[in-house]
Amino acid sequence: MNIPESKTPRIVIVGGGFAGVKLAKSLKNQNVQVVLIDKRNYHTFQPLLYQVSSAGLEPDSIAYPLRKIIKKHENAFFRYAEVEQIFPETKSIQTSIGDLSYDYLVIATGTKTNYFGNAAVEKYSMAMKTIPQALDIRSLMLQNLEKAAISSSDNDRKSFLNFVIVGGGPTGVELAGAIAELKNNILPRDYRDLNPRDMRIHLLEGNSRVLPPMSEHASKKAEQFLLDLGVQVHCNTFVTDYDGKTVKTNSDLILESETLIWAAGVTGRPIKGLNADVLTERVNRYLVNTYNQVNGYKSIFALGDIALMKTEDYPNGHPQVAQPAIQQGQLLGKNLIKLIEGKPLKEFVYKDKGSMATIGRNKAVVDLKRFKFGGFFAWFVWMFVHLMSLVGFRNRVIVFFNWGYNYINFDKAARLIIRPFKRLD
Ligand SMILES: Cc1cc2nc3c(=O)[nH]c(=O)nc-3n(C[C@H](O)[C@H](O)[C@H](O)COP(=O)(O)OP(=O)(O)OC[C@H]3O[C@@H](n4cnc5c(N)ncnc54)[C@H](O)[C@@H]3O)c2cc1C
């Protein structure tokens, strides 16, 4: 892998997401060698993936080169590779570009889409976890609008114009709102050969309310915002089957649709090689102690979405969102230095900064510890927080410009089919 031998301890970080990047940054110019490995050469700002899917943002404004993040770290290396296996007994890993030994290994590999064992849904639905997947959704959506525009059959047109989103968490709600805005603002102008009323957006949620992780107040407000935008919300509804054309559910609801977007859940992305009992059964997360040390392994740590730390306040682990990942990455950087120096480690305590979701222009909900609010001010807060959280000044400027332009012109400028989506059979 062309990593020089080091006299200082080598810390290998697998995954350049929120957790891995924060950890790498917190180890800047410390007396250690850092090797950051990711199967992509960029960091993805997943909270804005839905804007790429719905043609609101270009993909490069939510991605950032990992090499650039560590360019000023004298002690750090990046390798573009997939880590395939861990050998704890020899303290080494196998990757797609070779093997590497480590003194400390940090697993920050995040999650992948969970289809809950439904192979048909996995085969025909669209996932939204990565930039290529978001671009596939964008292409498919635009391709289906084009097909609808030339379709002579009412049934086919209906199917091309029916957009079904499964999962009423923040991702599904945000995507449904963004597609509804496309229907309300773009269709009447650019697709004059289509009747906007024929385009339907269905949001399916298995729970009794949308945004189940947020407060009842936020759920009610979000649902009202969605209804105002014309989204049809179906709670207590889950998909049982999909063959690429017909969506079957647990109720009488059957939908003809060429586009099913699956935002219903995630499962961990562990790496082979550790004892099976360190992984939780259902969600595939590594069980860690309050220092993020994987149970039973002194030199192996797990962070962020892939880690499950049970505490009194969070008996089922922390929520799989950016803040726990960032805060754990920050603390582990300090703790690894303490560990090397033989000093006592500090336990992780999660500081919940609240949660939020946006449903569209001037429409968002925010839950803070002390108060909850929705509407224009919440939308403004949502925009500010997301803008400031983006990695890189250039990305912030581009996103700010795009949002300003879209706000003034009611436009979504990235409506491009660059690489047509083809379903693999
Ligand atoms: C669509 C969507 C919207 C979201 N919206 C929000 C939001 O609004 N607010 C919020 O707080 N959170 C949101 N989240 C959740 C948030 O993005 C995650 O909690 C966060 O990314 C977790 O960070 P992480 O570092 O643990 O993992 P990730 O950010 O997922 O990073 C994992 C990294 O590991 C790499 N990797 C995986 N396996 C390997 C391997 N074997 N070898 C090498 N590299 C590997 C991946 O390429 C990736 O770069 C959203 C997630 C999604 C998918």
Side-chain angles (χ1 to χ4, degrees):
M1 287 177 70
N2 196 22
I3 303 286
E5 283 305 319
S6 166
K7 289 198 179 97
T8 58
R10 176 182 290 158
I11 299 172
V12 175
I13 306 170
V14 189
F18 285 101
V21 161
K22 194 69 191 181
L23 171 62
K25 280 183 173 175
S26 76
L27 289 169
K28 184 179 178 186
N29 300 342
Q30 294 287 345
N31 209 16
V32 291
Q33 185 190 60
V34 176
V35 182
L36 175 63
I37 307 177
D38 200 297
K39 58 182 178 180
R40 295 190 192 92
N41 78 335
Y42 54 85
H43 167 81
T44 305
F45 190 76
Q46 293 178 16
L48 291 181
L49 272 177
Y50 84 94
Q51 295 215 358
V52 173
S53 303
S54 55
L57 287 176
E58 286 293 347
D60 34 349
S61 52
I62 68 156
Y64 201 83
L66 286 165
R67 278 186 181 272
K68 197 167 172 184
I69 291 176
I70 56 161
K71 71 176 181 195
K72 290 190 178 151
H73 299 207
E74 304 248 313
N75 59 340
F77 298 83
F78 170 73
R79 288 294 176 265
Y80 174 45
E82 177 154 8
V83 176
E84 295 162 343
Q85 186 151 4
I86 305 166
F87 301 100
E89 55 293 344
T90 53
K91 290 181 106 179
S92 64
I93 53 169
Q94 176 190 308
T95 82
S96 52
I97 56 165
D99 297 350
L100 186 69
S101 63
Y102 62 81
D103 293 295
Y104 299 98
L105 177 70
V106 183
I107 308 168
T109 46
T111 53
K112 59 181 181 183
T113 304
N114 191 353
Y115 298 95
F116 305 99
N118 193 326
V121 167
E122 180 167 358
K123 183 167 177 190
Y124 293 110
S125 70
M126 308 294 287
M128 197 178 66
K129 270 292 292 172
T130 64
I131 287 180
Q133 289 172 342
L135 284 173
D136 281 344
I137 293 176
R138 178 176 97 179
S139 295
L140 179 67
M141 191 173 69
L142 298 171
Q143 284 165 231
N144 284 345
L145 291 181
E146 293 299 336
K147 284 182 184 166
I150 56 164
S151 175
S152 52
S153 145
D154 282 353
N155 279 348
D156 285 354
R157 193 177 323 107
K158 198 173 155 193
S159 183
F160 289 129
L161 292 177
N162 252 350
F163 292 83
V164 180
I165 299 157
V166 186
T171 302
V173 163
E174 293 184 341
L175 184 63
I179 298 180
E181 289 199 324
L182 189 126
K183 167 190 166 175
N184 298 337
N185 303 328
I186 309 292
L187 235 66
R189 289 194 314 222
D190 280 23
Y191 293 82
R192 275 171 285 121
D193 22 23
L194 289 173
N195 182 349
R197 262 180 282 165
D198 289 344
M199 180 169 167
R200 303 272 159 83
I201 300 137
H202 297 270
L203 179 65
L204 276 50
E205 165 57 45
N207 224 291
S208 56
R209 59 185 177 98
V210 295
L211 297 181
M214 294 183 72
S215 65
E216 295 250 1
H217 173 268
S219 294
K220 273 194 192 133
K221 257 205 143 39
E223 185 165 346
Q224 193 53 54
F225 285 146
L226 286 167
L227 296 175
D228 293 346
L229 284 169
V231 175
Q232 301 184 28
V233 179
H234 310 271
C235 289
N236 297 312
T237 306
F238 47 87
V239 172
T240 52
D241 199 12
Y242 180 55
D243 60 2
K245 293 206 177 299
T246 308
V247 185
K248 291 188 181 154
T249 70
N250 60 323
S251 71
D252 300 343
L253 182 74
I254 293 178
L255 299 163
E256 296 303 322
S257 173
E258 295 274 337
T259 322
L260 179 82
I261 301 165
W262 190 256
V266 290
T267 181
R269 210 183 249 288
I271 303 171
K272 272 194 296 188
L274 302 192
N275 290 333
D277 60 1
V278 298
L279 272 180
T280 54
E281 253 177 43
R282 256 181 347 108
V283 284
N284 264 331
R285 294 170 84 181
Y286 288 112
L287 290 161
V288 297
N289 64 15
T290 47
Y291 310 112
N292 283 98
Q293 223 157 11
V294 175
N295 284 0
Y297 294 94
K298 270 197 169 152
S299 316
I300 304 180
F301 298 78
L303 288 181
D305 277 5
I306 188 74
L308 194 134
M309 183 190 292
K310 293 183 184 178
T311 64
E312 217 173 296
D313 291 341
Y314 296 92
N316 299 318
H318 298 104
Q320 285 169 295
V321 291
Q323 272 305 318
I326 292 169
Q327 293 175 27
Q328 287 176 0
Q330 177 77 39
L331 180 66
L332 185 62
K334 291 183 184 145
N335 271 341
L336 282 170
I337 300 302
K338 285 187 178 156
L339 190 65
I340 291 163
E341 291 172 350
K343 293 183 183 159
L345 309 188
K346 192 174 167 196
E347 286 191 296
F348 178 74
V349 180
Y350 176 47
K351 291 182 199 74
D352 185 357
K353 296 188 174 174
S355 47
M356 56 182 83
T358 181
I359 299 91
R361 157 187 293 258
N362 302 341
K363 295 179 177 68
V365 285
V366 174
D367 278 356
L368 298 178
K369 239 185 193 162
R370 286 170 194 227
F371 45 105
K372 306 172 189 338
F373 52 100
F376 176 76
F377 183 58
W379 179 71
F380 187 79
V381 171
W382 180 93
M383 278 204 306
F384 181 76
V385 168
H386 282 76
L387 205 57
M388 296 322 288
S389 309
L390 273 165
V391 182
F393 179 71
R394 175 187 167 276
N395 285 0
R396 277 182 224 139
V397 171
I398 293 174
V399 171
F400 181 69
F401 173 80
N402 262 285
W403 285 352
Y405 179 86
N406 293 353
Y407 191 76
I408 294 164
N409 294 299
F410 288 80
D411 201 3
K412 284 183 186 287
R415 298 192 311 278
L416 310 168
I417 306 169
I418 304 279
R419 185 196 54 184
F421 173 72
K422 282 197 190 93
R423 191 171 275 138
L424 298 172
D425 281 320

